Amino acid sequence: MIAAFVREALAEDVGRGDLYALVESAIPASAKIIAKSDGIVAGVKYIDVLAELEKFEITWLKTDSESFVKGDVLATIEADSHTLLRCERTILDMLLHASSIATLTNKYVKLIEPYNVKLLDTRKTRPLLRVFEKYATRTGGAVNHRMGLDDSLMIKDTHLKTIKDLKNYIVNARKKIPFTAKVEVEAETFEIAKIAFEAKCDIVMCDNMTPNEIKEIVAFRDENYPSILLEASGNISLKTIEAYAKSGVDAISSGSLIHQANWIDLSMKMD
């Protein structure tokens, strides 16, 4: 899967061929990837595949999940000039995209580390980039939520509009879904959360609630359904995530890890 993705990424940039290579013969070349801002490295796993496919040597001075600061050399590359310059943009784009997501994710992770709460990503990813972007959040310290609809059964507010008896639905669902698949119910109110608890789901997602509202649900869970996990979600940002972590939930999910990640600054310089 990674090799196919890398091939497509390179093909998109190269098109029918690099016109630079038509002019003169290739010569030995080397380059450095240099950080022009601070961040967390992600993308090494993919670029190593590109290096294998395109037959160039890359030596990493920083690797996935490691931090870097402005001025650091992340890697050195050796190849013939045609190969190096043909692959330059694909290398940088994959490294920039993944590292930017990992960098923002790590900021979230550090805020909630003291509270023993897991940070989860979501399915709010760019089309056809889900595996890549979720790899980036994982590299930044998050835990992947489900990759797709086949991972677990999440019953959201839109699903609840079609279900008359949630408890009966979950009983029937457990007869049909894989044995290892969990059932999660999204709750926007305390009342819906109680119904979800009574229906014996595995996880209750407290969606778009305040930290104080969630604290009440945590207390109710702890007293009555201690084995059911609680997840907080809904417009959670760097400014608010610590308050949610203090509420007592087991996990916090945020789409912002991906769709609010601003690109950091990296460049490749020829020696």
Side-chain angles (χ1 to χ4, degrees):
M1 180 179 288
I2 291 179
F5 173 81
V6 168
R7 285 193 185 96
E8 288 184 17
L10 181 61
E12 177 184 51
D13 196 42
V14 173
R16 290 173 292 176
D18 182 5
L19 299 183
Y20 161 81
L22 295 177
V23 182
E24 293 183 352
S25 299
I27 61 172
S30 61
K32 295 180 178 68
I33 299 176
I34 301 171
K36 298 173 73 175
S37 60
D38 302 349
I40 300 292
V41 178
V44 171
K45 187 174 182 179
Y46 283 74
I47 296 167
D48 280 346
V49 172
L50 178 61
E52 183 177 351
L53 292 172
E54 292 298 307
K55 310 301 181 187
F56 62 82
E57 294 291 329
I58 184 163
T59 301
W60 293 99
L61 305 179
K62 297 283 186 178
T63 193
D64 276 350
S65 299
E66 290 187 350
S67 62
F68 59 84
V69 296
K70 182 178 179 180
D72 280 350
V73 176
L74 305 189
T76 60
I77 304 173
E78 292 185 2
D80 66 79
S81 56
H82 289 182
T83 299
L84 181 55
L85 294 167
R86 182 175 67 251
C87 295
E88 175 186 5
R89 179 45 51 195
T90 303
I91 292 170
L92 287 174
D93 282 353
M94 290 194 294
L95 191 61
L96 281 163
H97 192 155
S99 296
S100 299
I101 292 171
T103 298
L104 179 58
T105 299
N106 194 251
K107 291 179 181 179
Y108 278 85
V109 169
K110 287 182 176 178
L111 287 172
I112 66 175
E113 273 180 342
Y115 309 102
N116 196 31
V117 178
K118 289 182 172 64
L119 177 66
L120 312 177
D121 54 24
T122 73
R123 284 166 47 243
K124 292 179 181 177
T125 59
R126 292 164 182 81
L128 302 180
L129 289 178
R130 180 165 298 166
V131 172
F132 182 68
E133 292 182 332
K134 280 179 170 282
Y135 148 76
T137 63
R138 189 169 66 249
T139 303
V143 176
N144 291 148
H145 207 285
R146 56 182 186 159
M147 295 295 292
L149 298 177
D150 56 342
D151 270 349
S152 63
L153 174 58
M154 179 181 287
I155 304 169
K156 299 174 71 69
D157 58 336
T158 46
H159 296 95
L160 290 171
K161 294 289 186 180
T162 71
I163 298 171
K164 294 181 180 180
D165 184 338
L166 181 61
K167 185 175 182 179
N168 186 58
Y169 178 88
I170 290 177
V171 168
N172 289 332
R174 293 199 188 278
K175 297 176 182 177
K176 298 179 179 181
I177 65 175
F179 178 74
T180 56
K182 293 182 179 179
V183 178
E184 181 168 5
V185 178
E186 180 182 273
E188 294 182 330
T189 66
F190 199 156
E191 290 69 29
I192 296 175
K194 284 183 178 179
I195 294 171
F197 284 126
E198 292 169 359
K200 297 182 179 179
C201 64
D202 300 298
I203 308 166
V204 173
M205 175 194 285
C206 300
D207 190 49
N208 288 306
M209 295 185 187
T210 67
N212 285 335
E213 289 172 332
I214 293 176
K215 285 180 182 178
E216 293 183 27
I217 295 176
V218 169
F220 179 82
R221 185 278 305 271
D222 291 349
E223 183 176 349
N224 300 282
Y225 302 94
S227 64
I228 295 179
L229 298 173
L230 281 174
E231 174 187 339
S233 186
N235 298 311
I236 294 173
S237 67
L238 283 172
K239 292 182 180 180
T240 62
I241 193 168
E242 190 171 7
Y244 282 96
K246 291 178 179 178
S247 69
V249 292
D250 302 288
I252 299 172
S253 59
S254 176
S256 298
L257 310 182
I258 293 171
H259 63 67
Q260 294 299 315
N262 294 318
W263 272 32
I264 56 176
D265 197 358
L266 304 173
S267 68
M268 182 183 292
K269 296 297 183 183
M270 298 288 284
D271 293 330

